[in-house]
Amino acid sequence: MATVTVPKRSALAEALAGARHAADTGHGVLSWIATVDHKRIGMLYGISAFLLFLVGGLEALLIRTQLIVPESGVLTSDQYNRLFTMHGVTMVFMVVMPLSAAFFNLLVPLMIGARDVAFPRLNAFSYWSFLGGAIFLNASFFTRDIFSGELGAPDAGWFGYAPLSLPDFTPGHGMDFYALGLQIMGLSSLAGGLNFAVTILNMRAPGMTLFRMPVFVWMTLVTSFLIIFAMPVIAVALFELTFDRLFNANFFNTEAGGNPILWQHMFWLFGHPEVYILILPAFGIISEILPTFSRKPLFGYPFVVFSGIAIGFMSWGVWVHHMYTTGLGTIANSAFGISTILIGVPTGIKIFNWMGTMFGGVIRLRVPMMFAIGAVATFTIGGLSGITHSMVPSDYQQQDSYYVVAHFHYVLFGGAIFALFGGIFYWAPKFTARMFNETLGHVQFWLMMIGFNLTFFPMHISGLLGMPRRIYTYSDGMGWDLWNLMSSIGAFTIAASILVFIANYVYTFVMKRGREAGDDPWDARTLEWSLPSPVPHYNFAEIPQVHSLDDFWHRKYREDAEGNVLPVVAGGAVEVAHGGDGGGHEEAGHGIHLPSPSYFPLIAALGLPVMATGLIYDYAIVPVGAALLVVGLYGWALEPATEED
Amino acid sequence: MPRGRNVGYSLTAWWGVDLHAAAISSLANVTQTLRVLRRNRARLPLLLVLLALLALVLSGCTTDTPQNTFDTKGEVADAQAKSFLIAMWPAIVIMIGVLGGIVLIALRWRERDPNQPPPKQVHGNTRLEIAWTIAPAVLLLAIGVPMVAQIADLGREPADDAYIINVVGQRYSWLFEYPEEIDSEGKPIQTVNEAHIPVGREVSFQLRSVDVIHSFWVPKLGGKRDVFPCNLVTPEPEAPPTPHGERPPCDGGQMNILWLKADEPGSFSGQCAEYCGLEHARMTMTIHADAQADFDAWVKEKLAGSSGGGN
Amino acid sequence: MTLADYRRQRGEPLFDEQAAAVQHEEHHPNAFQYLQIGIILFVITAIEVGIYYIDMSHDLLVGLLLALSIAKFSLVVLWFMHLRFDSPVFRTLFAVGLGATLALFTVVIAVSHGGLV
Amino acid sequence: MAHAATGHLETSTGLDNRKLLMWFFLASDCLFFGSFIAAYLLYRDRSLVGPYPEDLFDIPFTSVSAFVLLMSSVSMVLALAAIQRGNVRGMRIWLFTTAMLGTLFIAGQAYEFTEFYHEGLTLSTNLFGTTFFVLTGFHGAHVTIGVLILLSLFVYSLRGGIQQKDSLNVELAGLYWHFVDIVWIVIFTLIYLVQP
Ligand code: HEA
Ligand code: HEA
Ligand code: CUA
Ligand SMILES: [Cu+2]
């Protein structure tokens, strides 16, 4: 339904249209570069994020190697500082956020019964600008002489406190890359957040009311809201930092009367909602896996949903808990202390409902379930140490100690990464038609679980023994040796578990030894399992009519008044779900107009890192980037979303 | 096409579950679980490992290490350790409850037989929901209210007779200045990275930095307070010893005041706790708490010696 | 989203597919009304600048200026941006954004060093 | 600006995807400008050296440019009213008027910036220079983007790209434009008129 065809096409436009056609075949590299298919974009997100996880993990391993014994000289303090900064930034912005985005992309349209997201090309733009930003930021490593051990990466910590982040104290370009790189990735997230908010509100299949949506979709919606309102704040903070660094502005310049507390407010005003942006998708994944493998519906669905909304809401009122020791005063600390403590209530509701879901079920301890259970358990520990943080007087001792490091790895690794791995094992069959090897999966889980606790549990103790974070070395006699040794051994155990995962991947997909999955290998509950595996590019041959929560389950099973389950006559419902029988797929696929591939999102996204590079090195490059951006945007706006054939 | 019962959103449906039945059956289930566990000796090693870990943790807390936050030597640190425990004990109980619950449930209701039919479909229970909303809220408020009292306590201004020490943080050392001890040249005595304080008297540390943010932390005496950049509006020499509580104005940043009190003599090590650059790890200090007589002697010695200089 | 729940309780369909019917497109004001609003906006601005030059207590001046700019703001948002006529979803969204901005930054300024508290 | 065709002709809420997107974006942009304004307010009166706002602000001049922007909102809404009635020519005229008023505003801002610069205020002079230039500069950037969008629509309409059924394009541009205008209403009052 293109509105207008631009009358005459230039040669360039012809060439582009040609390339677009080539991309439309569905094969080859071009078709991936120009793709606007949410499933492919999701996979691109997932693969990129996993590779960046290896990068961030490698950085962590270097950190742990340095700290394995007191006074070790593996890294210089300069290298160490850049590594932990990049480790934090990578894991938060380039691993957990994009991995969550991968799941949004892969699942949301399928779960709500849509053929794509509301703005497929904006979606592609999100991905490419994320990738551009991530490569740009990581490229900073190479801006000094890396082969003689000089890293060029940012070095003011992941929250880049001013005035340390100003050029007087962190000379070089590292923090410029930080400010601009995060800016680009923030824009990418904002675009994604807007896209998914609209998609979820607007693109639901008939009958898919809000309260029939899977919890994962709900959590995506809440996360999108958080992104939409949090990203502009960090964008402004980063702009202010950029202006201070590149154009001598005074936002944080104390010589001119600037107030460093402003940065802290802005960062944490974004930063705390951000940590829930990191965890809520994981909560969503857990809420999908637990019911499937307990073979029961989610206990207290509306309460799980509302507690998620409550968490999103409350996350705006607690940011000062990162600033207890800055001397904001008794009133601020008391008010934010109480609000922080209370955030345990909605989180607890989720935990208890998950336990309620498992209670009395028929629990299949398959790999995804193991990861989900593991995530609940470890997250609980992290959440509870969060409560000890929120006690203001007690936090005076813990702030900026390893106790904090323990807390946030328990929630981030123990909560988010575990759940995300669970999600990978759970949904991979849907998109690849193959099952990961179960044994290797269990080996990975146990290695990871043991390694994780071995790494991060001792950090509680070293923290309480007075070990500050972000120190590149410590002297012996502080009583920290044993705990650090344990942490380091644990870190390498985690690395081993990741290698097992890579091996599993190779075994399953490269050697193609993974078992064929079939359409519904887990006897699952939500709509995506009603589709063939792998999911056809048009998703639903026929947009489904939704009648209830867990619609797909109810096509397979009937439930009597007492809640006893009676199977529906075998097969019937499932076939209908495919929109007809076998032969129907191909034909059905033909009549459907899907958005055509487009190169313009990529071109526009490419403009951003180019502009950023120009800002740092040579203003002459800026117009080049700007031109790319403008060309990309205009091409995008003028090109019909669907090429008529 | 046959379809399942519509279980879409309806509040009344959530009340439909019979609470009594649920409660009784769950009680029965728990006892059964315990029985299963008792029979299953294989789980014993797991328990032992957990106990060993706990022992390790406890031993860690009692080790005499220089910056142990539980080996408290002053009332501030005492109060803060207490505050931690107020939160920690309930947290540990909840942790054991939740983790234990999850493991027990997973074991008790594990699928025994691949052909096992799906269980009874329970969608929720509103009374339970209300219970596990209210109970944590009450518990949290119960620890929150004493917390506010403690914040006010620790956040009060230093006592009138508090001993004032100006602390200037700079990359990567601590400069201590004793405005109450003026030498013949009219300058306060100064020390670097080591400070002497009188035992049993509140000491008001007036914290400011000349470059980036640092954080002043002597764990055995008390928690940290950030050291913000602060260019005094009134240049230093003329700045009179500040009246307690009133922070001298500074351009940008602010001056923070932290009061601490040592209960017994000793040397307590401390360290910068806010990442401040290359040698953040080595921005350490030692606070010597001396009995009043020893302290006076130290001051006299310092005043007699050449003004300035280290310790 | 609490709005959805609220609608649900009241039995209103707005978040469902049936809602497509409930569109307010027709209620847009006409050009003449827009012009009237424009004139009011002009007058308010004139008053603002006018009172700026009148000698009065500072607090009163600030109060008046704030009130007048809120009036302008509301006129543009409600009429020109159609929030008066359009779907309540938009109204809610914008109110949330605006309310969050006001609330959050009031607190930020209040609890900053040298701030209000 | 073609419709995203994804097989859904009607949406679940009955609201157009793009319009919903625009409102989400505007809600988000509230926090964007709110952050800058908060920084300005936090730093007001904290500059260590001059020039200070009261030395530089030229209220009559800024009132005129505020007025120009306000009137551009009127012409914008008239463009929308025109196309909704199917009056393409009217829309073109009003679109163009709006773009020109916007350009005039930008020109005024450029003049103001140079004026301030000549009186010694730069980005790095003091806190006032920093917060003022960055806040109003970002607003100016928003206006500039708006002008570009309006001119693009104008050119597109000359080629017959905008008919009555495409009025949404104009409506969206309008929403953005009005938003930029109300931000200026706030800035004008809080930064220019209300002096401590
Ligand atoms: C996924 C990310 C994530 C999540 C979900 C959380 C969740 C929480 N966090 Fe955490 N936090 C971080 C990531 C996260 N945090 C990071 C990255 C930092 C450090 C940043 C930096 O400095 O680099 C940090 C730092 C941090 C601090 C600052 C520490 C310091 O620097 O001094 C505080 C202080 O209050 C805090 C508190 C909390 C609380 C109260 C929760 C709560 O939401 C937890 C709620 C959960 C539970 C309580 C458990 C389950 C509940 C029950 C079983 C119910 C019953 C329980 C009770 C009645 C208690 N966090
Ligand atoms: C999601 C977030 C996340 C995750 C998953 C992790 C994962 C890990 N983190 Fe990280 N961490 C942070 C977020 C995260 N971290 C943040 C925000 C900070 C604060 C930064 C700051 O202070 O500014 C931090 C800080 C931080 C510190 C404190 C540094 C300091 O203060 O001085 C330490 C110290 O041990 C640490 C360790 C680890 C370890 C061992 C892992 C491990 O779990 C990692 C496991 C992964 C692997 C081991 C990868 C496997 C790699 C291979 C197998 C190699 C193969 C390679 C190729 C094929 C190329 N982290
Ligand atoms: Cu000083 Cu860290
Ligand atoms: Cu937080």
Side-chain angles (χ1 to χ4, degrees):
Chain A
M1 47 169 295
T3 36
V4 167
T5 331
V6 184
K8 263 184 226 148
R9 281 184 162 172
S10 65
L12 178 68
E14 286 296 342
L16 276 172
R20 201 177 184 207
H21 251 76
D24 217 356
T25 57
H27 304 290
V29 184
L30 276 190
S31 73
W32 283 86
I33 289 181
T35 188
V36 294
D37 175 5
H38 68 98
K39 297 178 290 297
R40 288 190 159 195
I41 292 175
M43 287 188 212
L44 287 173
Y45 259 119
I47 292 164
S48 317
F50 184 75
L51 292 177
L52 284 157
F53 176 65
L54 293 184
V55 175
L58 212 59
E59 286 155 2
L61 291 181
L62 286 168
I63 291 173
R64 285 313 328 162
T65 310
Q66 163 71 9
L67 295 179
I68 198 163
V69 290
E71 303 288 2
S72 88
V74 180
L75 300 172
T76 65
S77 66
D78 186 59
Q79 290 166 336
Y80 183 88
N81 294 345
R82 293 171 198 273
L83 284 170
F84 80 67
T85 302
M86 280 305 282
H87 165 69
V89 171
T90 304
M91 288 299 193
V92 169
F93 296 100
M94 304 180 227
V95 176
V96 177
M97 283 183 83
L99 263 184
S100 303
F103 282 103
F104 297 168
N105 269 290
L106 289 169
L107 300 174
V108 166
L110 302 182
M111 284 180 160
I112 62 175
R115 292 227 166 91
D116 208 321
V117 294
F119 302 97
R121 289 177 297 174
L122 185 64
N123 203 20
F125 174 79
S126 287
Y127 170 71
W128 292 114
S129 51
F130 148 69
L131 189 68
I135 292 174
F136 173 78
L137 190 40
N138 274 290
S140 64
F141 270 114
F142 303 95
T143 56
R144 284 165 79 208
D145 187 1
I146 194 171
F147 295 108
S148 55
E150 291 179 350
L151 308 180
D155 53 351
W158 85 282
F159 46 71
Y161 272 6
L164 181 63
S165 56
L166 299 185
D168 282 353
F169 305 109
T170 43
H173 289 307
M175 289 306 289
D176 301 337
F177 277 90
Y178 167 92
L180 293 165
L182 289 191
Q183 189 72 269
I184 296 172
M185 286 188 276
L187 181 67
S188 148
S189 302
L190 179 64
L194 293 167
N195 205 343
F196 280 98
V198 174
T199 303
I200 294 170
L201 290 182
N202 257 0
M203 307 282 288
R204 284 166 286 133
M208 178 62 82
T209 59
L210 287 179
F211 281 88
R212 287 177 189 163
M213 298 194 313
V215 174
F216 179 77
V217 179
W218 263 110
M219 292 306 112
T220 308
L221 183 60
V222 177
T223 307
S224 300
F225 269 87
L226 291 182
I227 289 177
I228 288 169
F229 292 116
M231 286 303 158
V233 181
I234 190 67
V236 170
L238 292 169
F239 273 131
E240 292 177 348
L241 179 60
T242 310
F243 274 88
D244 271 15
R245 285 191 66 92
L246 298 179
F247 310 117
N248 284 318
N250 294 318
F251 283 105
F252 309 115
N253 177 5
T254 51
E255 306 278 297
N259 202 339
I261 206 79
L262 177 66
W263 169 270
Q264 301 193 11
H265 274 305
M266 303 274 278
F267 189 91
W268 293 118
L269 186 49
F270 147 82
H272 193 86
E274 167 72 13
V275 307
Y276 292 101
I277 292 172
L278 299 172
I279 200 67
L280 286 177
F283 283 177
I285 291 174
I286 294 172
S287 304
E288 297 303 324
I289 293 179
L290 290 183
T292 297
F293 292 90
S294 306
R295 317 198 68 201
K296 269 179 69 200
L298 184 67
F299 195 85
Y301 168 87
F303 296 92
V304 176
V305 169
F306 277 118
S307 63
I309 295 171
I311 291 174
F313 191 73
M314 292 170 78
S315 72
W316 290 95
V318 298
W319 77 91
V320 167
H321 67 217
H322 297 274
M323 301 160 65
Y324 285 152
T325 60
T326 55
L328 292 183
T330 315
I331 300 173
N333 279 0
S334 305
F336 281 90
I338 293 289
S339 65
T340 302
I341 280 187
L342 286 180
I343 220 164
V345 174
T347 319
I349 294 177
K350 281 193 183 299
I351 305 267
F352 296 132
N353 277 301
W354 289 332
M355 292 173 73
T357 306
M358 288 165 63
F359 190 94
V362 172
I363 297 174
R364 294 176 163 161
L365 292 177
R366 307 289 295 274
V367 177
M369 185 64 167
M370 296 302 285
F371 276 101
I373 296 177
V376 177
T378 47
F379 175 82
T380 303
I381 300 178
L384 292 169
S385 64
I387 296 295
T388 62
H389 273 313
S390 61
M391 293 289 281
V392 180
S394 122
D395 190 61
Y396 289 156
Q397 287 280 21
Q398 296 151 9
Q399 194 264 343
D400 268 335
S401 76
Y402 260 79
Y403 194 87
V404 183
V405 181
H407 158 66
F408 67 71
H409 282 92
Y410 263 86
V411 281
L412 277 169
F413 194 110
I417 296 282
F418 267 86
L420 289 165
F421 267 112
I424 292 173
F425 279 95
Y426 183 50
W427 278 292
K430 182 83 275 165
F431 298 95
T432 61
R434 281 185 195 278
M435 310 281 282
F436 272 110
N437 180 287
E438 188 81 5
T439 316
L440 285 176
H442 279 286
V443 171
Q444 182 202 344
F445 171 78
W446 283 110
L447 266 181
M448 207 157 122
M449 187 50 112
I450 293 168
F452 165 78
N453 283 290
L454 190 57
T455 311
F456 298 111
F457 198 84
M459 290 185 187
H460 290 108
I461 299 164
S462 46
L464 293 173
L465 292 180
M467 178 166 172
R469 63 194 282 202
R470 300 171 158 186
I471 53 175
Y472 74 98
T473 192
Y474 51 94
S475 41
D476 58 6
M478 301 303 285
W480 304 331
D481 310 14
L482 172 65
W483 313 112
N484 276 288
L485 180 65
M486 286 168 72
S487 290
S488 295
I489 296 174
F492 284 93
T493 315
I494 301 176
S497 77
I498 303 299
L499 289 178
V500 173
F501 176 74
I502 295 174
N504 199 347
Y505 179 88
V506 171
Y507 176 87
T508 307
F509 298 114
V510 181
M511 294 161 63
K512 298 204 188 324
R513 300 281 284 278
R515 215 157 44 72
E516 298 269 346
D519 296 347
D520 182 20
W522 313 113
D523 192 10
R525 315 180 70 87
T526 39
L527 273 184
E528 73 273 23
W529 300 102
S530 71
L531 299 171
S533 310
V535 181
H537 68 276
Y538 48 83
N539 295 356
F540 295 89
E542 211 175 301
I543 297 298
Q545 170 77 38
V546 177
H547 299 269
S548 67
L549 179 64
D550 290 340
D551 199 60
F552 181 54
W553 171 270
H554 291 290
R555 294 185 203 167
K556 297 184 290 187
Y557 299 94
R558 219 146 43 81
E559 200 180 299
D560 68 15
E562 272 92 61
N564 297 313
V565 176
L566 316 162
V568 168
V569 186
V574 181
E575 296 232 353
V576 175
H578 285 189
D581 47 310
H585 290 182
E586 289 304 303
E587 259 160 60
H590 272 301
I592 299 170
H593 267 271
L594 287 172
S596 307
S598 171
Y599 294 93
F600 290 115
L602 171 60
I603 296 173
L606 200 60
L608 299 171
V610 173
M611 275 160 77
T613 312
L615 280 175
I616 296 177
Y617 288 106
D618 186 353
Y619 292 157
I621 305 176
V622 177
V624 179
L628 279 173
L629 182 64
V630 170
V631 167
L633 290 178
Y634 270 94
W636 177 349
L638 293 173
E639 166 190 72
T642 320
E643 199 87 65
E644 51 262 80
D645 35 17
Chain B
M1 183 175 55
R3 287 200 187 273
R5 186 162 66 95
N6 184 339
V7 284
Y9 178 70
S10 138
L11 256 185
T12 47
W14 303 100
W15 285 97
V17 181
D18 184 344
L19 184 72
H20 282 283
I24 290 168
S25 78
S26 59
L27 267 182
N29 282 326
V30 171
T31 13
Q32 195 183 341
T33 313
L34 289 177
R35 221 175 296 132
V36 171
L37 266 188
R38 227 173 293 133
R39 251 184 282 126
N40 198 341
R41 299 281 152 168
R43 312 271 170 229
L44 202 63
L46 198 76
L47 263 176
L48 284 181
V49 170
L50 279 178
L51 279 178
L53 212 68
L54 195 68
L56 213 59
V57 173
L58 292 178
S59 72
C61 298
T62 51
T63 322
D64 177 35
T65 66
Q67 289 181 192
N68 187 341
T69 55
F70 291 109
D71 185 15
T72 58
K73 294 293 194 290
E75 78 181 60
V76 175
D78 276 348
Q80 290 163 348
K82 219 168 282 158
S83 165
F84 176 70
L85 294 180
I86 292 177
M88 188 196 78
W89 286 118
I92 286 189
V93 171
I94 293 171
M95 182 184 91
I96 293 174
V98 171
L99 266 57
I102 292 176
V103 174
L104 290 189
I105 291 173
L107 293 177
R108 163 65 184 77
W109 280 284
R110 205 156 113 192
E111 185 184 56
R112 313 274 138 124
D113 157 14
N115 296 320
Q116 210 172 330
K120 204 167 142 172
Q121 304 288 292
V122 182
H123 294 271
N125 181 318
T126 306
R127 278 179 245 188
L128 264 180
E129 301 285 352
I130 292 174
W132 62 47
T133 306
I134 306 264
V138 169
L139 176 68
L140 288 171
L141 284 177
I143 64 173
V145 172
M147 174 187 83
V148 172
Q150 266 183 325
I151 296 174
D153 235 20
L154 296 174
R156 71 168 166 78
E157 299 301 343
D160 284 341
D161 68 336
Y163 187 78
I164 294 177
I165 297 181
N166 290 328
V167 181
V168 182
Q170 57 195 4
R171 300 159 114 207
Y172 302 96
S173 62
W174 300 97
L175 176 71
F176 297 95
E177 206 180 65
Y178 299 73
E180 297 181 17
E181 322 295 347
I182 307 292
D183 68 11
S184 49
E185 291 165 30
K187 294 227 168 97
I189 57 179
Q190 294 186 334
T191 56
V192 176
N193 289 344
E194 300 205 21
H196 286 256
I197 61 169
V199 161
R201 184 168 164 197
E202 274 180 27
V203 180
S204 167
F205 292 98
Q206 311 206 352
L207 310 167
R208 65 193 183 85
S209 154
V210 293
D211 38 45
V212 300
I213 306 172
H214 306 273
S215 192
F216 182 86
W217 189 25
V218 187
K220 290 194 179 182
L221 295 182
K224 60 189 73 64
R225 186 65 46 87
D226 293 351
V227 183
F228 273 81
C230 158
N231 315 312
L232 289 175
V233 172
T234 338
E236 262 174 277
E238 286 102 78
T242 333
H244 304 292
E246 240 174 75
R247 286 150 177 74
C250 38
D251 299 330
Q254 86 159 8
M255 174 178 282
N256 275 332
I257 292 179
L258 173 69
W259 64 268
L260 295 171
K261 188 168 150 193
D263 289 342
E264 52 185 270
S267 294
F268 309 118
S269 77
Q271 187 162 4
C272 174
E274 186 70 65
Y275 170 59
C276 52
L278 283 181
E279 294 304 329
H280 163 62
R282 302 208 189 272
M283 192 167 160
T284 54
M285 68 185 118
T286 311
I287 305 287
H288 304 281
D290 302 333
Q292 189 68 47
D294 295 338
F295 180 73
D296 292 341
W298 175 79
V299 168
K300 202 164 283 167
E301 190 187 320
K302 278 299 281 189
L303 284 175
S306 58
S307 48
N311 187 37
Chain C
M1 180 156 229
T2 44
L3 177 77
D5 185 47
Y6 167 78
R7 308 218 138 264
R8 181 168 303 283
Q9 278 177 359
R10 306 217 325 202
E12 288 178 22
L14 232 134
F15 261 89
D16 291 336
E17 63 286 354
Q18 309 102 306
V22 202
Q23 262 284 30
H24 298 262
E25 288 292 343
E26 309 315 317
H27 300 299
H28 281 181
N30 59 32
F32 180 64
Q33 283 167 302
Y34 286 142
L35 269 178
Q36 283 178 316
I37 307 281
I39 292 168
I40 301 177
L41 287 172
F42 169 69
V43 173
I44 297 180
T45 312
I47 298 177
E48 270 185 328
V49 180
I51 62 172
Y52 181 76
Y53 289 102
I54 296 177
D55 222 6
M56 63 172 93
S57 92
H58 181 258
D59 290 349
L60 180 64
L61 177 69
V62 170
L64 279 177
L65 287 175
L66 285 181
L68 288 171
S69 71
I70 290 173
K72 281 203 289 187
F73 188 98
S74 315
L75 281 176
V76 175
V77 170
L78 292 177
W79 291 83
F80 290 181
M81 297 169 89
H82 314 305
L83 274 194
R84 242 195 106 179
F85 316 100
D86 239 343
S87 159
V89 174
F90 300 146
R91 219 175 298 150
T92 315
L93 268 181
F94 194 63
V96 168
L98 204 61
T101 308
L102 283 174
L104 293 175
F105 290 107
T106 308
V107 177
V108 165
I109 292 177
V111 303
S112 286
H113 290 162
L116 306 178
V117 174
Chain D
M1 304 210 172
H3 275 276
T6 47
H8 280 250
L9 295 181
E10 277 157 19
T11 62
S12 320
T13 57
L15 308 170
D16 182 87
N17 278 348
R18 293 192 294 156
K19 198 162 161 189
L20 191 55
L21 180 83
M22 180 55 85
W23 275 110
F24 266 114
F25 171 74
L26 295 183
S28 170
D29 228 23
C30 282
L31 280 116
F32 185 86
F33 280 109
S35 306
F36 276 125
I37 294 174
Y40 184 93
L41 294 180
L42 188 67
Y43 282 166
R44 113 178 319 170
D45 249 6
R46 297 268 181 91
S47 290
L48 301 183
V49 295
Y52 302 101
E54 56 270 27
D55 305 334
L56 297 179
F57 282 161
D58 178 357
I59 298 298
F61 178 82
T62 315
S63 310
V64 171
S65 60
F67 174 71
V68 166
L69 199 59
L70 203 57
M71 288 307 112
S72 78
S73 255
V74 180
S75 58
M76 183 71 232
V77 85
L78 290 177
L80 177 63
I83 190 66
Q84 279 175 340
R85 273 181 283 113
N87 177 356
V88 176
R89 240 196 94 217
M91 174 202 70
R92 258 181 231 150
I93 293 172
W94 288 121
L95 270 186
F96 192 74
T97 312
T98 312
M100 286 306 108
L101 287 172
T103 314
L104 194 59
F105 175 84
I106 294 292
Q109 195 171 36
Y111 168 78
E112 187 189 36
F113 277 22
T114 27
E115 202 65 3
F116 287 8
Y117 179 77
H118 286 310
E119 300 195 30
L121 187 74
T122 67
L123 198 56
S124 27
T125 312
N126 56 14
L127 291 180
F128 168 58
T130 295
T131 49
F132 174 80
F133 280 126
V134 175
L135 166 61
T136 52
F138 267 102
H139 178 266
H142 272 70
V143 178
T144 311
I145 292 173
V147 170
L148 287 179
I149 294 175
L150 293 174
L151 288 178
S152 306
L153 281 179
F154 177 72
V155 172
Y156 202 51
S157 83
L158 288 179
R159 297 162 124 209
I162 299 179
Q163 304 298 330
Q164 186 166 13
K165 66 176 165 47
D166 309 311
S167 70
L168 187 68
N169 288 329
V170 181
E171 191 176 347
L172 294 179
L175 286 177
Y176 176 82
W177 190 261
H178 298 310
F179 178 78
V180 174
D181 183 26
I182 58 177
V183 170
W184 190 255
I185 292 178
V186 174
I187 292 180
F188 180 58
T189 310
L190 284 186
I191 276 87
Y192 286 90
L193 293 182
V194 178
Q195 294 293 337

